[in-house]
């Protein structure tokens, strides 16, 4: 095959517009298994393909990109930088976006490799061209540039190159292009900052972080909404949260939630503020966050009862997130009547309204009701059981009715609630005492999509794995459930057709 590639390369170099020959080369390369590709292309020189990128014939350029994507991934980063550094650098300034993305992707591979990265780190022109790609109109180009620079910053020499040289000025110049580009630079900075406390130090010293935090209270509400998303991402790392706390950002965001009452445009950024604290609660401590920032919990309940579906959706997601932990369940339970009102509202949203909101409500309810076996204390089992009965006078029938509606996502959402209670003794007692419910569980014809079959299989698995299921459900049901589990989610029972003609 290597000989075939070599002969095709010779043919290509002798033709002015080698579209046909390029197509043959692409086909030949696709026929080689990825595992064998390196042996087939190593030692070959593909400069002729790079040279053909300098054309205004779009089809030719696209074929060359396809071929190079296939070839270059098989070459080591050291081989790439030794043989094709100039070609990749030229690709960064190519008029076609696909060529830029190709070059940026390969540079990303090079900077991840310690031996190859030095070549790029010592080449200011390449790094400047990569930074300039962040301002490209095509988002795919900008994203790839951000990714490659983020990889570069995984080493101290990479951080020094970006933040302790004149490239810092280049980044700030690019940042001044527009609001959109400014946020791309913030995206890069947050990604770098999230990697380690050292990386965060570089970004903080460059003033990028303080500039981002300043945007939180800017006059433009859309800018504010984007800033809160960035800050939420930064808060996902422990060192990021510590830094934000030191800067007083948690208090500032809590004040923004309180101030939203009087801001007619608050609906544009309020969901982001609530998501910030929701994520914070899960990563640190639901109790600590809810007690330290009561405005957050108050606002979540208020949003759950709001007539605005956008507010409902964010509240549902946040309540599900809080309720997914034992500590979060206890925090919600402590609010007493307030949470009972919210839970009733969640039940209404699950039963009627737009499908997307119903699905989000079902998912939140399943998270609230879920208890892992090791969490099943007497108090917590009593808590989840009481919540389930607050959903409706006949909660089993209510969830079962939702599961029978002709929308796969609702069917699966309802099954997830049954799965959550299936691991708990009180849930099993309800299931076995509800007429025809066990037949419903064992009936493979109730959901025909792959997702529905998987959801039903998970429900059966939850029942079978519970230590109390056999005694509560009875041996006959338990044996049938184990058989279902053994047969797998997609089992179809064969219907035998027996001829009786001539039988004695």
């Amino acid at each position: 095959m290597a000989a075939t590639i070599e002969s095709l390369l010779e043919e290509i170099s002798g033709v002015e517009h080698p579209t046909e020959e390029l197509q043959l080369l692409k086909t030949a390369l696709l026929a080689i298994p990825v595992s064998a590709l390196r042996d087939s292309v190593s030692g070959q020189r593909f400069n002729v393909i790079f040279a053909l990128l300098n054309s205004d014939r779009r089809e030719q350029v696209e074929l060359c990109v396809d071929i190079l994507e296939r070839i270059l991934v098989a070459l080591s980063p050291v081989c790439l930088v030794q043989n094709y550094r100039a070609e990749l650098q030229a690709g960064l300034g190519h008029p076609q976006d696909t060529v830029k993305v190709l070059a940026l992707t390969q540079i990303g591979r090079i900077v991840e490799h310690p031996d190859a990265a030095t070549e790029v780190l010592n080449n200011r022109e390449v790094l400047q061209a990569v930074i300039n790609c962040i301002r490209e109109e095509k988002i795919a180009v900008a994203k790839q540039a951000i990714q490659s620079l983020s990889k570069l910053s995984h080493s101290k020499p990479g951080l020094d190159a970006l933040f302790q040289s004149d490239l810092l000025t280049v980044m700030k110049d690019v940042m001044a292009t527009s609001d959109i580009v400014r946020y791309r630079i913030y995206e890069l900075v947050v990604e770098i900052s999230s990697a380690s406390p050292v990386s965060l130090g570089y970004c903080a010293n460059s003033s990028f972080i303080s500039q981002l935090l300043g945007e939180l209270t800017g006059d433009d509400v859309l800018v504010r909404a984007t800033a809160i998303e960035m800050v939420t991402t930064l808060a996902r790392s422990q060192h990021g949260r510590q830094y934000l706390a030191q800067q007083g950002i948690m208090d500032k965001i809590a004040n923004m939630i309180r101030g939203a009452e009087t801001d007619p445009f608050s609906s544009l950024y309020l969901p982001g503020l609530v998501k910030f604290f929701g994520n914070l609660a899960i990563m640190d401590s639901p109790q600590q966050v809810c007690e330290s920032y009561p405005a957050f919990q108050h606002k979540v309940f208020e949003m759950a009862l709001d007539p605005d579906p956008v507010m409902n959706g964010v509240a549902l997601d946040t309540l599900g997130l809080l309720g997914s932990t034992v500590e979060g369940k206890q925090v919600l339970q402590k609010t007493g009547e307030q949470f009972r009102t919210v839970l009733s509202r969640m039940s209404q949203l699950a039963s009627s309204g737009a499908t997307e909101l119903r699905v989000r409500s079902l998912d939140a309810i399943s998270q609230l009701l879920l208890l892992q076996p090791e969490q099943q204390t007497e108090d917590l089992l009593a808590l989840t059981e009481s919540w389930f009965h607050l959903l409706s006078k006949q909660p089993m029938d209510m969830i079962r009715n939702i599961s029978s509606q002709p929308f796969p996502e609702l069917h699966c959402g309802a099954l997830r609630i049954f799965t959550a209670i299936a691991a708990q003794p009180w849930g099993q007692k309800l299931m076995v005492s509800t007429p025809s419910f066990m037949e419903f569980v064992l009936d493979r014809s109730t959901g025909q999509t792959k997702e529905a079959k998987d959801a039903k299989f998970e429900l059966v698995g939850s029942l079978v794995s519970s230590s109390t299921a056999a005694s509560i459900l009875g041996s006959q049901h338990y044996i049938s459930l184990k058989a279902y589990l053994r047969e797998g989610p997609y089992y179809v029972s064969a219907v035998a057709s027996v001829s009786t003609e001539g039988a004695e």
Side-chain angles (χ1 to χ4, degrees), residues 271-284:
L273 303 178
V274 169
K275 282 180 192 172
F276 172 82
F277 277 118
N279 282 294
L280 200 64
I282 283 303
M283 288 177 284
D284 280 347

Side-chain angles (χ1 to χ4, degrees), residues 354-415:
T355 305
E356 188 206 344
L357 211 52
R358 297 180 72 183
V359 171
R360 286 165 86 171
S361 191
L362 291 167
D363 284 345
I365 291 167
S366 67
Q367 286 177 289
L368 288 166
L369 295 173
L370 185 65
L371 273 183
Q372 299 301 337
E374 66 276 11
Q375 300 168 342
Q376 293 181 13
T377 62
E378 203 175 314
D379 287 351
L380 285 169
L381 285 166
L383 180 150
T384 52
E385 184 176 8
S386 70
W387 283 1
F388 187 71
H389 286 289
L390 284 169
L391 294 174
S392 160
K393 286 180 181 174
Q394 299 292 335
M396 290 295 285
D397 292 344
M398 172 200 149
I399 305 299
R400 175 92 172 270
N401 287 340
I402 294 172
S403 79
S404 65
Q405 291 175 15
F407 299 100
E409 56 269 55
L410 290 178
H411 177 75
C412 294
L415 287 181

Side-chain angles (χ1 to χ4, degrees), residues 265-441:
F265 299 108
S266 64
S267 62
L268 295 169
Y269 61 84
L270 191 56
L273 303 178
V274 169
K275 282 180 192 172
F276 172 82
F277 277 118
N279 282 294
L280 200 64
I282 283 303
M283 288 177 284
D284 280 347
S285 152
Q287 184 175 344
Q288 189 184 327
V289 169
C290 290
E291 285 178 1
S292 303
Y293 310 101
F296 156 63
Q297 189 175 298
H298 172 73
K299 184 55 70 176
V300 174
F301 286 178
E302 195 179 280
M303 287 164 77
L305 303 172
D306 198 292
D308 182 353
V310 174
M311 296 299 168
N312 294 159
V314 175
L316 290 168
D317 296 346
T318 308
L319 288 163
L321 207 56
L322 281 173
S324 65
T325 67
V326 165
E327 192 182 309
K329 286 176 171 61
Q330 291 166 330
V331 167
L332 293 170
Q333 178 74 342
K334 275 183 195 170
T335 65
E337 193 56 44
Q338 274 183 297
F339 182 63
R340 285 196 282 276
T341 305
V342 166
L343 197 55
S344 176
R345 170 71 170 156
M346 290 171 79
S347 175
Q348 288 170 14
L349 291 170
S351 300
S352 59
T355 305
E356 188 206 344
L357 211 52
R358 297 180 72 183
V359 171
R360 286 165 86 171
S361 191
L362 291 167
D363 284 345
I365 291 167
S366 67
Q367 286 177 289
L368 288 166
L369 295 173
L370 185 65
L371 273 183
Q372 299 301 337
E374 66 276 11
Q375 300 168 342
Q376 293 181 13
T377 62
E378 203 175 314
D379 287 351
L380 285 169
L381 285 166
L383 180 150
T384 52
E385 184 176 8
S386 70
W387 283 1
F388 187 71
H389 286 289
L390 284 169
L391 294 174
S392 160
K393 286 180 181 174
Q394 299 292 335
M396 290 295 285
D397 292 344
M398 172 200 149
I399 305 299
R400 175 92 172 270
N401 287 340
I402 294 172
S403 79
S404 65
Q405 291 175 15
F407 299 100
E409 56 269 55
L410 290 178
H411 177 75
C412 294
L415 287 181
R416 279 192 286 274
I417 292 178
F418 287 138
T419 303
I421 69 169
Q424 302 173 58
W426 63 262
Q428 293 159 15
K429 286 173 186 170
L430 271 178
M431 287 178 175
V432 79
S433 64
T434 300
S436 74
F437 188 82
M438 294 311 297
E439 287 76 12
F440 160 75
V441 173

Side-chain angles (χ1 to χ4, degrees), residues 30 58-59 75 77 148 160 238 240 276 282 285 309 344 362 435 471 482 491 500:
L30 288 171
R58 191 170 189 87
E59 188 185 2
L75 301 177
S148 298
D160 288 340
Q238 190 177 359
F276 172 82
I282 283 303
S285 152
S344 176
L362 291 167
S471 59
K482 285 191 83 168
Y491 176 77
T500 57

